Amino acid sequence: MNTLSLASIFQHHMVLQREKPIKVWGEGPKGAIVTVTLDGISASTVIHQNKWMCTLPPHPAARNLTMTVSTDIPGFPVHYINDISIGDIWIAAGQSNMEYFLRYDAHWEEMKRQPKNPDIHMYNVPQLCFDGQQKDISGSGYWFQEQDKAWELFSAPGYAFARSIQPHLDVPVAIIGCNWGGTPACAWIEESYLENPPLDIFQKEYEAEVKDWDPFQLRKETLAGFAYDDSQEHQEEWKSVMYGLTREEQLLWLKEHSDAPAIPMGPLHKNRPSGLYHMMLEPLAPLAIKGVLWYQGESDSGHAEIYDTTMTALITCWRDLWEDDFPFLFVQLAPFDVWLDCTGENYPEVRRRQEMVSRQVPKAYMTSIMDLGMRYDIHPKHKKEVGERLALLARGCVYKEDILCLPPEFQNAEKSGSTILLHIQHAGTGLSMLGESISALTVTTEGDVLEPLSQTVSGAEIRLTFEEEIDSCKIEFANENYVEVNVFNSAGLPLKPFICEIK
């Protein structure tokens, strides 16, 4: 190798993570000495096996810096990276609800009119699922800011997070979009974390799907499917789906596209186990980051019963890759019934498993959007609110502001005669209810539904009064695929789903 190169993330207008060691890496001629200099501080290393990495000491927040990368070989050009900021980097990861383009957001028109914030930087990792894939990736692979042509194609939750939190931090904030619609969590996890039960099910299912294929025919049909998906005609058609269709329009869409080329599962498929981990995530490491924003789970509803194990493995895998136990902020799945040929009957179980992760995994924090769902759309249009709630979560749990940032959650219940009191944590200055009764609340005893005579919300309590004294009962709140939660804490966050039994 007779050239010196840097990893693709190192480009003009980029952001480096403050207050953590700065690692810079790339490729070059074996035996050469490479030197990286930033703000007057240098680090050098000898290139081994054509790969190199230099580590600079932690640096406070800064703007408009230049990095130089050079070798001791006469005549080799010096690399200059200009307009570098140092601040906080968050990775916005997951599937389509994290990928969800800004142009589809309900608030897009008002967001476009906001004054530009020069301290917000964005980068989209190219969506490539195999080496040599040919597709249009012009909106990705470079650092940009608001008003750039790639802006409307960026993650709406990721951007809204940055826009909400940056003024509170007063440092540059970067969001790296590393996401792809329709992907299961196993596509983002390295192989060794999927070897043992129950997570070995993903590899077993993959092998079962490909075992009867002729390799030549599989590749042929795969490339035909990609050609259709990536065609300009399909991309234009798909916009209408993402902006939103009525249920009747969705059924018509399914009928009209029933014979569209499909991409069969195989070694080139984006959803194959570990594929996107290697193609999209791994190249980012070990660029220091502040943390991860995660919105995913829809494509794991088929294995909802193990989603806590899956998500725990993913968080562990990513932290191991970076050798950093950074915070992991995630979104509980929104209410949803049916969209195209997708259904949400397993979502309540996914949400329960997400709740388990938030309780069991250190520095994993969950926000709720149980008030923002859409019955006939898997993609809620109010992503600005999702990003703002993630920012609130970060401000309280990561940056340690003394604010109410967690959604209200059931703590315990007590019964007194014909009255049941539900005690709620994280109520703030008091719970509130929209409307005259609590939606999505069901009380049953021995299979019979009990209707409360009254339901009141006050302070950190929900009071249910019945006609007669209750011996025992089961209380379920928002334990359905689609609901409209209408109980909130004083930060405007909705009450999370829960189930409790009173005996």
Side-chain angles (χ1 to χ4, degrees):
M1 175 176 288
N2 57 3
T3 60
L4 180 72
S5 65
L6 287 87
S8 59
I9 194 71
F10 294 97
Q11 298 182 31
H12 302 311
H13 318 301
M14 74 174 301
V15 176
L16 298 170
Q17 178 60 43
R18 62 174 169 157
E19 298 164 358
K20 289 186 179 183
I22 298 171
K23 295 183 179 181
V24 185
W25 69 97
E27 298 182 350
K30 182 179 179 180
I33 297 175
V34 61
T35 299
V36 177
T37 301
L38 177 70
D39 200 20
I41 301 174
S42 298
S44 299
T45 188
V46 177
I47 300 176
H48 297 284
Q49 297 181 338
N50 301 122
K51 297 184 181 296
W52 61 269
M53 179 181 294
C54 288
T55 302
L56 295 164
H59 196 294
R63 298 165 178 84
N64 197 29
L65 301 181
T66 296
M67 176 187 293
T68 61
V69 183
S70 60
T71 72
D72 62 338
I73 301 176
F76 259 52
V78 177
H79 290 263
Y80 291 88
I81 305 176
N82 299 317
D83 189 29
I84 293 176
S85 296
I86 300 180
D88 283 353
I89 302 174
W90 290 83
I91 294 179
Q95 57 181 110
S96 57
N97 273 308
M98 180 58 85
E99 178 192 13
Y100 200 77
F101 295 165
L102 273 162
R103 70 183 179 202
Y104 302 132
D105 188 86
H107 302 282
W108 174 231
E109 292 302 320
E110 69 180 72
M111 286 192 282
K112 286 193 295 185
R113 294 192 293 269
Q114 296 175 132
K116 181 178 179 180
N117 184 334
D119 275 331
I120 293 177
H121 301 248
M122 291 161 276
Y123 181 95
N124 258 328
V125 177
Q127 291 182 337
L128 296 172
C129 55
F130 60 90
D131 289 328
Q133 184 175 6
Q134 300 297 311
K135 62 180 292 189
D136 179 13
I137 54 172
S138 57
S140 59
Y142 68 97
W143 289 91
F144 62 93
Q145 295 182 280
E146 296 160 332
Q147 312 305 331
D148 185 272
K149 66 181 186 299
W151 185 33
E152 69 173 36
L153 306 178
F154 195 70
S155 161
Y159 168 75
F161 172 89
R163 187 82 198 195
S164 178
I165 204 168
Q166 193 284 323
H168 296 278
L169 303 179
D170 196 27
V171 301
V173 172
I175 307 294
I176 297 177
C178 187
N179 41 64
W180 200 331
T183 54
C186 69
W188 301 97
I189 304 175
E190 196 268 338
E191 290 88 343
S192 64
Y193 297 82
L194 302 173
E195 289 178 347
N196 299 317
L199 300 187
D200 60 343
I201 186 64
F202 300 116
Q203 184 63 27
K204 288 180 178 178
E205 290 181 343
Y206 171 79
E207 292 171 357
E209 287 197 56
V210 303
K211 68 181 179 66
D212 295 327
W213 274 95
D214 171 71
F216 176 80
Q217 187 64 25
L218 177 59
R219 181 177 179 85
K220 180 181 177 180
E221 292 196 23
T222 297
L223 295 180
F226 275 122
Y228 170 75
D229 274 6
D230 298 335
S231 67
Q232 185 173 356
E233 179 183 2
H234 175 70
Q235 292 297 318
E236 287 299 317
E237 284 185 330
W238 191 245
K239 286 182 182 180
S240 65
V241 179
M242 298 305 288
Y243 277 117
L245 300 176
T246 65
R247 184 59 188 155
E248 292 73 20
E249 290 170 333
Q250 293 173 35
L251 294 174
L252 180 60
W253 169 277
L254 287 172
K255 182 179 179 180
E256 292 176 343
H257 295 80
S258 59
D259 59 349
I263 302 173
M265 179 55 72
L268 304 184
H269 201 289
K270 66 178 182 179
N271 290 356
R272 69 189 187 277
S274 308
L276 298 185
Y277 171 86
H278 292 299
M279 289 299 300
M280 293 180 64
L281 182 75
E282 198 172 32
L284 294 176
L287 182 76
I289 62 172
K290 184 66 177 179
V292 170
L293 312 173
W294 180 258
Y295 189 167
Q296 191 272 344
E298 300 91 340
S299 289
D300 279 276
S301 61
H303 289 294
E305 75 286 354
I306 61 169
Y307 189 66
D308 57 317
T309 306
T310 305
M311 194 169 172
T312 299
L314 182 139
I315 295 172
T316 303
C317 171
W318 288 29
R319 287 174 173 172
D320 288 349
L321 175 62
W322 262 270
E323 298 181 349
D324 184 358
D325 64 341
F326 46 67
F328 205 97
L329 280 53
F330 63 98
V331 182
Q332 193 172 39
L333 290 189
F336 158 69
D337 190 6
V338 59
W339 173 79
L340 295 180
D341 55 358
C342 303
T343 58
E345 66 267 17
N346 292 332
Y347 278 34
E349 185 62 29
V350 174
R351 295 186 195 114
R352 280 192 286 274
R353 300 292 169 160
Q354 290 176 312
E355 177 80 18
M356 292 168 62
V357 171
S358 72
R359 294 176 182 273
Q360 297 171 3
V361 178
K363 298 170 70 172
Y365 309 106
M366 183 181 78
T367 194
S368 176
I369 56 171
M370 292 298 293
D371 58 324
L372 298 179
M374 300 177 70
R375 183 182 292 276
Y376 299 121
D377 204 325
I378 201 171
H379 304 114
K381 309 308 176 191
H382 286 259
K383 292 295 193 293
K384 177 173 178 283
E385 289 85 344
V386 177
E388 290 171 345
R389 291 180 188 182
L390 286 169
L392 192 67
L393 198 61
R395 288 172 57 196
C397 295
V398 178
Y399 296 101
K400 305 304 180 183
E401 286 190 47
D402 185 16
I403 58 173
L404 178 62
C405 67
L406 293 169
E409 64 180 53
F410 171 77
Q411 184 175 19
N412 57 55
E414 60 177 301
K415 179 173 69 71
S416 177
S418 60
T419 298
I420 294 176
L421 282 179
L422 305 176
H423 298 283
I424 308 298
Q425 295 185 89
H426 313 307
T429 57
L431 299 172
S432 62
M433 177 174 63
L434 293 178
E436 297 181 356
S437 63
I438 302 171
S439 65
L441 181 72
T442 304
V443 183
T444 57
T445 180
E446 297 182 350
D448 297 326
V449 177
L450 302 178
E451 295 293 343
L453 292 175
S454 66
Q455 307 173 33
T456 59
V457 171
S458 178
E461 294 178 345
I462 296 175
R463 181 182 296 267
L464 307 176
T465 304
F466 298 87
E467 186 174 358
E468 299 178 351
E469 182 174 349
I470 298 173
D471 183 39
S472 62
C473 67
K474 181 179 181 180
I475 300 175
E476 297 179 76
F477 176 73
N479 188 34
E480 303 169 50
N481 50 354
Y482 180 77
V483 295
E484 296 180 10
V485 168
N486 65 342
V487 176
F488 303 86
N489 65 12
S490 57
L493 302 174
L495 180 61
K496 293 189 294 185
F498 67 85
I499 301 174
C500 75
E501 294 192 18
I502 299 176
K503 298 182 179 180

